[in-house]
Amino acid sequence: MKKIVSAVALAAVAASLATAELTSSLNVRMGGSALTKTMADAGDTTNVLDLGSSDFGCDSLTFKASNDYAGVTLNWGASLQDKQKGGNQATTFWTNNGKGVELSAWLKPASWLKFQIGAHKDGIWTVEQVKKDTDDTSWSGAGKYAFLYKPGVASKNSTGYFLDALTDVLNGGQTYLFADFTFLEGQLTIRPTFVNTGVDFFQKVAADKKADDPTMKTAPGAMVMFKNDAVKINLDFQMPTNKDIAFGIYGSPLGLADGALQLMAGFTLATNTSDATDNLGYTGVARDTTFFAVDLRVRYVAGDFHIANAFNFTGASEDGKIVDNTDATKVTRTGDAHIWDAIFLTYKLNDNWTITGDVQIDAYTGDDTVTDLYITPGVMYTAGKGATITAGLHFKIADLSDATATTPATSGKGKTTTIAIPFVFRVKM
């Protein structure tokens, strides 16, 4: 009897594997700069034909296998690029700095319940972006991604950095587990989340901590989403330690202009109260700091014309500061507020040629007021489906508000202008 049962079980597994649908996709981008000229108070520099230095896009190889009740995804973010905006891109081809590999599996035992476990797929400039931008008409996908970009606190040193209920300590790489409970005929989804952060959830003051105190390396979070034909509302919550909390609410009206117009508005509140020795990875944060942020997104598509605007205002409590220490070429910049605004647009002239452009302002205001301006017009040639070549001009004026400073090497201030001719080859299969 046992042999019969075993045979039936093996047959069921074999049938499941046979019915699984396997799909794969490959997205490769290789870029660089034909010419980069930097003009600064400390001196000028010129680079010619700098391959692998493009700030636009990244690469991925994806395999998916699934049936009606289970699935597996492998997403490998190996990259030919040497760097990328935000500094989170690959430092080597194979490892992608440990942040570009996603392996996850999901199981759906009932129509109203779904489990998923895997390696942390979060990250602002990793393979998650590729999923969202590879079908866009702009050369970097930035126009589409500007609208889909996770809302939250703009400061990377905050608990609420681009909040999405998956706690992100040290910018990703954690193991996660979550469950989706669906109600009201699919309109309401409740998702409790658990992420292994590698740090102790029960943070204590060093003087009060005992050797036999319990530790928990997994941080809780939650997401509640309501969506019908008229509106989509998200409530996101994450708590990397018992002293650090982030909460956000974001809403979008649906069906505007038959779907051509998309809007999103949201608010985020986050606290960082852990002691600096707790090793959360939020380096540079003034503890006992409360961050708040307002997000606004607008995107409009009319035939061959597409425009998107993304705006984020992040402020800090009176005793706290917003810190930017991600650029190794500058000293740390601090302020009471961080403002980021970006406009992206594309216009398709015909089947082969598309005009692209973006303008971005990145500013810190307060004790150390700094404003960076980015302007990138370009043109994209489409050789065939999924195959494009894009080139343009890239202007960056750094520390615009401190144009008269004379000691940029020591103060981090002083107007610096960069003019580049970037290019990107992209093949998606």
Side-chain angles (χ1 to χ4, degrees), residues 30-370:
M30 179 60 186
S33 178
L35 176 69
T36 303
K37 177 75 173 180
T38 301
M39 295 162 283
D41 294 342
D44 298 351
T45 60
T46 302
N47 290 326
V48 179
L49 197 57
D50 186 6
L51 294 177
S53 64
S54 172
D55 280 341
F56 305 101
C58 54
D59 321 315
S60 69
L61 177 61
T62 303
F63 294 97
K64 293 183 179 181
S66 64
N67 52 30
D68 292 338
Y69 53 85
V72 176
T73 298
L74 172 62
N75 212 331
W76 181 44
S79 180
L80 297 173
Q81 302 296 118
D82 292 330
K83 65 177 182 177
Q84 191 179 17
K85 285 181 180 178
N88 288 336
Q89 183 57 6
T91 54
T92 68
F93 174 78
W94 295 107
T95 65
N96 199 9
N97 214 17
K99 299 171 185 174
V101 179
E102 173 197 347
L103 177 60
S104 63
W106 59 268
L107 177 65
K108 195 170 184 179
S111 60
W112 53 270
L113 178 61
K114 178 181 178 181
F115 295 100
Q116 182 162 319
I117 190 170
H120 200 334
K121 66 186 178 70
D122 198 14
I124 303 304
W125 299 106
T126 61
V127 291
E128 181 70 7
Q129 178 190 358
V130 177
K131 301 174 189 176
K132 297 172 180 175
D133 72 14
T134 51
D135 293 325
D136 194 17
T137 53
S138 67
W139 62 338
S140 63
K144 185 174 182 180
Y145 195 57
F147 185 79
L148 296 173
Y149 208 77
K150 291 193 295 293
V153 175
S155 174
K156 290 186 177 181
N157 302 306
S158 168
T159 305
Y161 177 50
F162 295 110
L163 184 67
D164 69 350
L166 286 177
T167 300
D168 186 15
V169 176
L170 290 175
N171 292 324
Q174 289 80 35
T175 303
Y176 66 87
L177 168 67
F178 64 77
D180 285 343
F181 297 88
T182 306
F183 308 97
L184 301 179
E185 297 181 347
Q187 294 186 115
L188 177 64
T189 300
I190 300 175
R191 172 185 292 177
T193 68
F194 302 93
V195 179
N196 188 327
T197 63
V199 299
D200 185 7
F201 177 81
F202 300 114
Q203 300 289 328
K204 292 186 177 182
V205 177
D208 298 331
K209 190 172 180 62
K210 300 177 182 179
D212 58 350
D213 283 340
T215 60
M216 182 174 76
K217 300 294 186 182
T218 298
M223 183 272 288
V224 178
M225 182 181 71
F226 177 80
K227 181 180 180 181
N228 59 20
D229 294 336
V231 66
K232 176 183 176 181
I233 299 175
N234 261 67
L235 299 175
D236 292 315
F237 168 81
Q238 60 192 39
M239 194 173 183
T241 79
N242 61 345
K243 295 182 179 181
D244 300 280
I245 300 173
F247 171 81
I249 179 169
Y250 316 103
S252 300
L254 303 178
L256 300 179
D258 295 327
L261 177 63
Q262 301 175 43
L263 303 175
M264 187 280 286
F267 177 78
T268 305
L269 184 68
T271 63
N272 285 79
T273 62
S274 293
D275 185 78
T277 60
D278 290 336
N279 193 29
L280 276 176
Y282 307 121
T283 56
V285 172
R287 298 299 161 172
D288 298 323
T289 299
T290 299
F291 295 92
F292 57 90
V294 175
D295 275 281
L296 298 173
R297 303 281 193 269
V298 181
R299 184 169 183 250
Y300 182 70
V301 180
D304 295 328
F305 177 74
H306 159 228
I307 186 169
N309 179 251
F311 172 82
N312 178 280
F313 173 87
T314 295
S317 57
E318 183 176 353
D319 296 331
K321 297 294 181 184
I322 298 173
V323 181
D324 176 17
N325 55 5
T326 60
D327 191 343
T329 64
K330 296 182 180 180
V331 297
T332 298
R333 306 186 297 180
T334 62
D336 299 318
H338 182 185
I339 300 170
W340 176 70
D341 188 71
I343 299 176
F344 304 89
L345 62 88
T346 62
Y347 180 70
K348 188 176 181 180
L349 298 174
N350 51 48
D351 291 341
N352 298 111
W353 294 99
T354 301
I355 296 174
T356 72
D358 71 77
V359 178
Q360 299 185 51
I361 295 176
D362 198 6
Y364 289 79
T365 63
D367 294 342
D368 187 12
T369 300
V370 178

